[in-house]
Amino acid sequence: RSAGINGMHELWLTLPPILLADIVNPVLFAFMVYAVGTTRPLANSLAVLLGHTMAYLAFGVLFAVAFNVIAERITNPEPIDYWISLVIGLLLLWVAWRSRSTDSMQTERSADAEMSLIKAFSMGGVINLIGIPFALPYFAAIDQVLKADLSATGSLSVVIVYNIAYALPFLVVPLLALVMGEASRPVLARISNKVDRISAVLMPVMLLLLGLFLIVDAVSYFTTGEGLI
């Protein structure tokens, strides 16, 4: 029991910076702004967010379950955990290097005014499906959860809370659509552009720091028998 409590405390220290690196991504925000341009701005933007969040949670659970089956590990971290951390850390360094000169991902497009809720929900899921191979911070978060000495219920609860925390900042889109109505569209477009510019600067730095942490964590385990956390 005390080991599980210690693992939960360690997650409170390691997951927030990973979550921050995960959130700084303008793609979902841009598509939610796109949904605000439809005849159901509030419902469709929420549907996009819900579709993305449900898909993200499903991928996280599947990754955790598949990892546990492959690694044959239940509670205690094994070398395979740290090999995965090392690989993810190296990939994060590569992505950070590539993203430093990446042009804005945001493109201008006219919204489908008659978009249905099902289409909006599906759009959120598809956005997640396309981006999941590059969701390295999320994989890093799942890896940290698996390293903690938690029960299956505890691990699942942490993953659910992580996904809820991920979705919360994006609620600014439907909230502005609710409060400001049509006037929210230009405001959200400006916010989206600023998010795009900020992420172009912050994303490489955050990915670099996260990658270095995972690499040092793995190297520490391989050389001393204990990770940083």
Side-chain angles (χ1 to χ4, degrees), residues 33-111:
V33 173
Y34 167 78
V36 168
T38 67
T39 54
R40 304 180 185 88
L42 179 61
N44 282 340
S45 58
L46 284 172
V48 170
L49 180 59
L50 181 61
H52 188 280
T53 303
M54 295 299 292
Y56 217 25
L57 176 61
F59 279 118
V61 172
L62 287 175
F63 178 79
V65 171
F67 179 85
N68 271 326
V69 171
I70 294 172
E72 297 181 354
R73 182 189 55 76
I74 300 176
T75 57
N76 297 314
E78 298 287 346
I80 186 65
D81 293 274
Y82 292 93
W83 280 113
I84 287 181
S85 288
L86 182 62
V87 171
I88 292 176
L90 291 172
L91 288 173
L92 282 168
L93 293 185
W94 179 76
V95 172
W97 174 260
R98 292 293 303 271
S99 63
R100 65 190 174 87
S101 59
T102 300
D103 293 332
S104 170
M105 292 180 290
Q106 192 169 316
T107 57
E108 294 295 328
R109 57 187 299 186
S110 58

Side-chain angles (χ1 to χ4, degrees), residues 140-210:
I142 298 298
D143 186 42
Q144 294 301 312
V145 172
L146 292 175
K147 286 180 184 178
D149 188 10
L150 303 177
S151 65
T153 302
S155 298
L156 179 60
S157 299
V158 172
V159 174
I160 291 174
V161 170
Y162 180 96
N163 278 270
I164 293 174
Y166 178 93
L168 285 177
F170 296 96
L171 287 176
V172 68
V173 176
L175 285 176
L176 283 178
L178 176 65
V179 173
M180 300 179 64
E182 292 287 334
S184 66
R185 297 183 186 181
V187 174
L188 286 170
R190 289 194 295 271
I191 294 175
S192 184
N193 288 332
K194 289 182 179 179
V195 169
D196 198 28
R197 296 192 192 98
I198 292 172
S199 67
V201 176
L202 287 183
M203 182 67 77
V205 175
M206 298 178 71
L207 292 179
L208 175 65
L209 293 175
L210 178 57

